Structures are given as C-alpha cells and as structure tokens.
Amino acid sequence: MTDPILVEIVEGTLASVEKEVETAIARTARSPMIRDAHDFRAGIHDARLRKLTGRSYSALVQPIVRDFPIETMKPGDVYFHNDVYLSEGGIGHLPDLCVTVPVFHEGEVVAFVQAFGHHDDIGGSVPGSMPSHARSVYEEGLMVPPIKLWDQGVPNEAALRIMTRNSRMPDSLAGDLDAECSACLMGARRLGELFDRYGKQAVEECFDAIIAKTTETFRRELLAKIPEGTYVWEDYAEHDGVDEPRLHAQRITLTVDHAADAPLTIDFTGTSPQAKGPINHAGDYAGGVFLKKWLAPVLRNLADTPERMAELDVNEGVVPLIKMIFPEKGTLLTPVFPAPTNARTFVILRLLGVLAGVLAKATGGRMPADQETIRYTGVHGIDADGQPYLMREVLGGGSGGRWYADGEDTIHIVPDSRNIPVEFAEARWPFRVERLALACDSGGPGMFRGGLGYDKHIRMLRDASYMSIADRSILSCWGVNGGLAGRPFRVEIAGKEMEGLVDDHPVQAGDLIRIRTTGGGGWGSPYDRDPRAVAADVRDGKVSIAGALGDYGVVLDGDRIDEQGTAELRARLRPPADRFFDRGPGYAKLSGGRAYAEVDEL
C-alpha cells in the first residue's frame, strides 16, 4: 500500500512546482497578456501522459510524444507547438503557444512540465491573430506543428527567428517564449529532485494514488447525486463573423448509468454544422480527453458544500468516468481542416453552460445559472513615438446565481487571470480609463442574483482601431429554476453600438469607448429574493431603484422597504408558473419569435 504521508508530500510538491513555474513566467514574461492579465497556465503530466495537477486545465502532451518518441528525448530538450489540428485537441487557437519539457531521472523520462498561454501576436491578417471574419486557419497566423525548440539546452535560433519574424510584436513574443522555456526547465529540475529523493517507483505509485483518489471521489461524492436516466439540452453561439447572426447549436445528450465503468456518457450529436467563421473547436481528438478535463469542473457544483467544491481538483482521474460520443466530421466540435478556430471560446465556453443546463434538468435545478466570462476587447494603432501597439484585454463578466448564493461579480474563467491595471494601461497606451466599475442591473434577477459584469469607459487620446471577439451580445446568460437572464454584452463608440465581432473599427482621438460585459443568469424567482437583499443591492449600486421595482417587485421609500406595497406588487407581477430556463429577449430575435427551446421543457 502506498504511504499516505508520501502521497501528501508528492501532491503538495506537484502543486508547489506548478505554482513556481507560473510565478516565474509572470515575473519574466514581456507581453501584457501573459505578464499582467495572466492568461496562461502550467500543468504537470506523468510519463503516461496523465495530468497530475488539478488547479487549472492545460494542454496535452500527446502530440509531443506522437511526433517525438520518449526514448529519443534528452535533458535540456524543449518542445513547442500551436497547431490546432495537430494538438490532439489541446490547443484551441493559434495565439495559444505551448511549451513542453521532459523530466528526467537516471536518464529516463519520468514526467513532463508544460506551459501554454495566449500571446500577443503570431501573425495572420489582423493584429492579435484573431481575425473575426476569418474563413480558414491560414488567415489566423503562423501554424507550428510539434518541433524541438531547444535541443539539449541549445535554442533553435532558426525556428525562433521564423516565429518572431511573423509576429507584429516580436520582442514580446521572444521574451515570452524565453520566460516559458526557462520556467518549465526550472520546473523539470524541481520534479527531478522529487524523484531523486524518493525513487521512481515510490513517486509513480503516488501518482497512481493521486489520480485514483480523484476518480473515486468524483464517482462517490458527485456522480452519485445525478439520477440515472437520459437528459437533453442545448445552447447556442449567436454569430460566427461571416454569416448573419443565427443559432449555432451545441447539444448534449447526457446518459447516466452508475453501474457502467464510465457512468456519464456525453453525446454531442445534434450540434450544428461547422461555421464558416472562426467559432469552431477541434475537440474530437484523443478520445476527447481535453474536453473531458475541460468540462469536469462543472461537476464540482454537485459537492455538498462550496468549501468541499473548492477542495476538489480535476486531474486525469476524471477521464475514465466520462465517455464522449462525437458527431460526424464537419460540425462545430468536429471541424475539418482548414476551418478557422480563433473564436472557439464561443463553443467551449458554451459547452460548460450546456453541461450545467442538462445537469440542472437532471438534479431539479441544483446547478448554477449561466455565465460568459471571456471576451477580448482592445485597441491597436500607432503611439506617439511612431511605434505600433496592441492593447488587448480579456474582460470577465458575472457568474451565474447558485442555489445557495448570488453569482460572483467580474470573474474570469482562467485561474488567477485579471483585467489589466488602469495605471499600467494609461502609462503604456494612448488612452485614459475614465470609468471602471460594476455594471448596474447587469446580473440576472433571481432569488440569488447573477453576478455583475464590468462597466468600463476608455477615452482615446490618438486615432486607433477598436477590436472585439465577444459572444452574448444578442443572447443572454440564461437563468434557471425561475431565475431570469442577465444583460448581454454591449459596446458603444461615440454613441454607436458595436457588434460583438469587430477587427478594426476606426476610433478618433477624443472618442469614448463604453464597454459593458455580461451579467450572470439568476437562480430562483426574483420575487422570492429577500427584499432586504434587494435594498442592500440598491445601496451598493448593483441594482437600480427601477430594477428593484420592475425586476424584483420591491417598493422602496428611500432606504425603507414598503413591505405592504412590495407584497401587493409581487402578487401582481409573479407569473402563474416559473419557467425553468429563461434565455432572455435575444433568443426570440434569433429563433423566429419563440420564447424558449423545445429542450427547455422538463
């Protein structure tokens, strides 16, 4: 039997090494997206390619060992790739650059340290390498299949020169890659010390125990709470940058069989055909192993308490519990090369919500409402020194209300990510941030309110171009169990409303860019929310007086709650029966006037 104390030591060391790698990258990288916004993550995998750490998702090692057999690897080797279609599903779009370093013990590969993140620019037709109207990957930037970027400690200068030559931000790209390679090499040395201290057999037995614990915990504590049966739900991306806005469906048929080796079967049949524009995600590789680890965190919402949920890691142990069935080639999740993919967040983020929605149907609503917490906004142009610049920010939004609490305000799905500090932005780029606040009334009304999005105002000091890669500008984050949808994404420039997908809309010096990100959906009927909580939201500026009255049926006289007036108004406003899902008014615009989808019926 594996020594439980040693398992704890190994598990803690893995977490420590992962954090040390990320800290080293953050301190030495050059680009704002990596250094300041922290849109990257590290991961540790064993020699069997299993992900051992569970604080965040990561890319895969499979494409590296596919092209470079383990027995050919040497200490000091560093491997690199960003090719979506040759990544086995681990890379979603070309700006996500991935570095992989093998860990050695007594001349043998025993593990891998990996880092991947979103970089400023890797070429393509627009600054930032995310052309919203792309029709093929060839417009999106430089594709690099798995290569050996460092050979036994010696960088491949030719490859580095090719990549930096294709980037509009060559210095940032070179600096980021150097930071990531050096940090992963450092992490590999740290892990090697763990093997030296305890021996290969003992450490690998601990790896098995760590993964097995996750498998057993998820099976016993989480999956057991889902009643056996088959459940169907779907949600939608609203536009692809090429065609007119329409409903691009992502459907999940969930079958639960507790006696099966894989208790959950996730069938994506019914997902829409691949889009002409860049919202596709190549997910049907390596048995869908990336998507299994991407979706599994949703299951943690079934934990008994929020505290317990926070304790549960998602490592390779979740993979055997899930069977995935993909539709034929040529859908949003099974695109055919060279379909574009740079805005694939519209699909993989939506899939998190689709799984949450189908689980809500299965569990009587014991799942959070919807959220949309990634969108890219920014400006690019020429600064006062005549140099090109790119400011691109991943602004978060509100998370969905939960069965026990309101949603969180202005969160980001990538752990430790953040908006770019105002002081840094104003010192580096030619604009002023005149407002950075919570967007009042953006959270979906509910017994537990959806979290609020950002309200950000940027005043341009020089002519420039605005860019945006954002979904939920028509459709809203849905409410559940009687909760109402949140407010959608909105951008106005000089008073003109923008679409969600924009590459280079001209902005003039003096123009004001107003950005309002999405609010999460509400949970439970807003007419069941404690009026004191509504009054507190009004005092905090999260809900307006008009919102308190119209959305919650709460009558306020200054700071005082008119209890009789509130009771009478709520009796008039409350519908005869709450709708289980509320998709908001945007759904009717794209569905031909329907208020809800057929799959919304319980």
Side-chain angles (χ1 to χ4, degrees):
M1 178 178 177
T2 307
D3 181 355
I5 296 177
L6 183 56
V7 173
E8 289 291 324
I9 291 171
V10 170
E11 192 168 22
T13 301
L14 293 173
S16 176
V17 171
E18 182 182 67
K19 185 65 175 178
E20 189 174 2
V21 170
E22 291 196 354
T23 300
I25 292 171
R27 288 179 173 176
T28 57
R30 291 282 301 275
S31 70
M33 187 65 73
I34 300 294
R35 183 188 64 222
D36 300 289
H38 205 276
D39 192 6
F40 72 96
R41 58 219 52 94
I44 298 174
H45 308 251
D46 69 3
R48 295 164 59 186
L49 316 185
R50 302 179 300 177
K51 187 172 183 290
L52 301 171
T53 48
R55 191 177 58 85
S56 177
Y57 62 96
S58 63
L60 305 176
V61 182
Q62 279 86 340
I64 303 302
V65 301
R66 178 197 66 211
D67 293 357
F68 296 91
I70 286 180
E71 59 269 17
T72 68
M73 297 177 177
K74 303 292 183 184
D77 287 351
V78 179
Y79 299 90
F80 173 90
H81 71 291
N82 77 324
D83 189 314
V84 171
Y85 288 92
L86 294 180
S87 74
E88 300 291 336
I91 297 295
H93 58 185
L94 296 182
D96 280 349
L97 310 184
C98 184
V99 168
T100 306
V101 173
V103 179
F104 286 84
H105 171 70
E106 297 180 351
E108 182 182 0
V109 175
V110 291
F112 295 90
V113 178
Q114 193 175 72
F116 91 112
H118 192 139
H119 293 69
D120 273 346
D121 188 278
I122 193 69
S125 61
V126 302
S129 309
M130 295 183 67
S132 64
H133 305 296
R135 291 174 176 263
S136 83
V137 294
Y138 297 113
E139 301 172 58
E140 297 179 313
L142 182 68
M143 289 180 285
V144 183
I147 63 170
K148 188 182 292 186
L149 191 60
W150 288 29
D151 189 350
Q152 299 182 68
V154 179
N156 185 335
E157 298 293 346
L160 288 166
R161 188 177 182 190
I162 290 170
M163 286 190 282
T164 54
R165 179 63 172 167
N166 276 271
S167 174
R168 296 170 180 85
M169 306 289 164
D171 293 340
S172 289
L173 180 59
D176 288 349
L177 286 174
D178 187 54
E180 290 157 353
C181 291
S182 299
C184 286
L185 286 166
M186 177 271 294
R189 291 193 299 272
R190 296 284 190 269
L191 277 183
E193 294 167 0
L194 180 69
F195 282 87
D196 292 341
R197 186 177 305 122
Y198 297 108
K200 177 174 180 288
Q201 180 178 343
V203 173
E204 289 186 337
E205 288 176 354
C206 291
F207 290 171
D208 291 341
I210 290 168
I211 291 171
K213 181 178 71 171
T214 295
T215 304
E216 176 58 23
T217 299
F218 268 69
R219 184 189 294 271
R220 184 184 68 254
E221 292 189 28
L222 306 182
L223 303 190
K225 291 185 170 67
I226 311 172
E228 289 193 335
T230 298
Y231 312 92
V232 184
W233 205 62
E234 68 183 26
D235 204 3
Y236 316 92
E238 62 196 27
H239 53 168
D240 72 345
V242 175
D243 286 331
E244 289 297 310
R246 62 182 177 85
L247 298 177
H248 298 266
Q250 292 123 76
R251 172 175 287 211
I252 285 179
T253 299
L254 178 70
T255 300
V256 184
D257 179 1
H258 294 303
D261 291 338
L264 297 188
T265 297
I266 296 176
D267 186 347
F268 297 108
T269 301
T271 294
S272 289
Q274 75 181 46
K276 295 178 184 176
I279 66 172
N280 307 289
H281 177 71
D284 59 326
Y285 291 85
V289 66
F290 174 83
L291 278 180
K292 291 179 183 181
K293 288 178 280 190
W294 170 259
L295 292 174
V298 173
L299 299 169
R300 294 187 298 189
N301 289 285
L302 296 169
D304 288 336
T305 66
E307 293 76 18
R308 180 56 177 157
M309 178 173 65
E311 294 173 351
L312 299 177
D313 281 347
V314 176
N315 57 34
E316 205 75 20
V318 302
V319 171
L321 299 172
I322 303 171
K323 176 184 177 181
M324 285 189 167
I325 299 174
F326 290 93
E328 70 287 346
K329 279 289 187 181
T331 71
L332 290 172
L333 278 175
T334 60
V336 178
F337 180 84
T341 66
N342 74 77
R344 95 291 185 211
T345 51
F346 292 13
V347 168
I348 62 172
L349 286 181
R350 193 68 67 253
L351 284 179
L352 295 171
V354 179
L355 181 57
V358 77
L359 286 170
K361 291 181 71 172
T363 61
R366 200 175 183 275
M367 294 295 290
D370 190 35
Q371 64 183 35
E372 174 69 19
T373 58
I374 290 182
R375 79 273 308 136
Y376 305 89
T377 60
V379 292
H380 54 87
I382 304 298
D383 64 21
D385 297 326
Q387 298 299 312
Y389 73 89
L390 167 67
M391 189 289 288
R392 180 175 53 187
E393 186 171 28
V394 186
L395 279 176
S399 70
R402 297 157 287 183
W403 59 273
Y404 56 87
D406 293 344
E408 299 290 341
D409 303 325
T410 59
I411 67 164
H412 193 308
I413 198 171
V414 179
D416 298 328
S417 292
R418 57 191 70 95
N419 62 311
I420 294 176
V422 170
E423 296 81 0
F424 171 83
E426 293 184 338
R428 181 157 184 166
W429 296 305
F431 59 72
R432 290 196 307 269
V433 178
E434 295 188 350
R435 178 179 174 83
L436 181 60
L438 299 177
C440 182
D441 288 333
S442 58
M447 184 169 69
F448 294 109
R449 174 182 44 74
L452 274 58
Y454 281 103
D455 184 17
K456 186 167 187 174
H457 298 181
I458 297 173
R459 180 78 64 180
M460 297 305 302
L461 302 180
R462 295 178 61 86
D463 294 353
S465 295
Y466 166 78
M467 58 83 62
S468 170
I469 300 289
D471 201 21
R472 296 299 202 204
S473 62
I474 300 173
L475 300 173
S476 300
C477 295
W478 43 266
V480 69
N481 204 33
L484 303 184
R487 299 281 178 86
F489 175 77
R490 289 286 184 270
V491 175
E492 291 183 359
I493 298 179
K496 180 182 179 181
E497 188 171 317
M498 295 288 102
E499 295 181 348
L501 286 167
V502 181
D503 285 336
D504 54 3
H505 181 82
V507 289
Q508 308 298 317
D511 281 352
L512 183 67
I513 303 173
R514 304 181 62 169
I515 303 168
R516 182 183 173 111
T517 66
T518 51
W523 194 99
S525 172
Y527 307 120
D528 291 329
R529 185 169 178 80
D530 188 337
R532 292 171 296 179
V534 177
D537 283 341
V538 171
R539 288 195 299 271
D540 292 341
K542 294 186 173 185
V543 173
S544 67
I545 292 177
L549 190 69
D551 293 333
Y552 293 94
V554 174
V555 182
L556 297 175
D557 181 7
D559 290 336
R560 188 182 67 82
I561 300 169
D562 181 343
E563 295 185 5
Q564 181 178 347
T566 295
E568 293 174 352
L569 179 59
R570 284 184 161 185
R572 293 198 303 272
L573 293 177
R574 187 184 293 271
D578 288 324
R579 188 177 301 154
F580 191 74
F581 293 102
D582 177 61
R583 297 182 181 269
Y587 177 75
K589 295 179 182 178
L590 300 182
S591 67
R594 297 194 306 273
Y596 59 92
E598 181 180 348
V599 294
D600 294 349
E601 297 285 354
L602 296 180

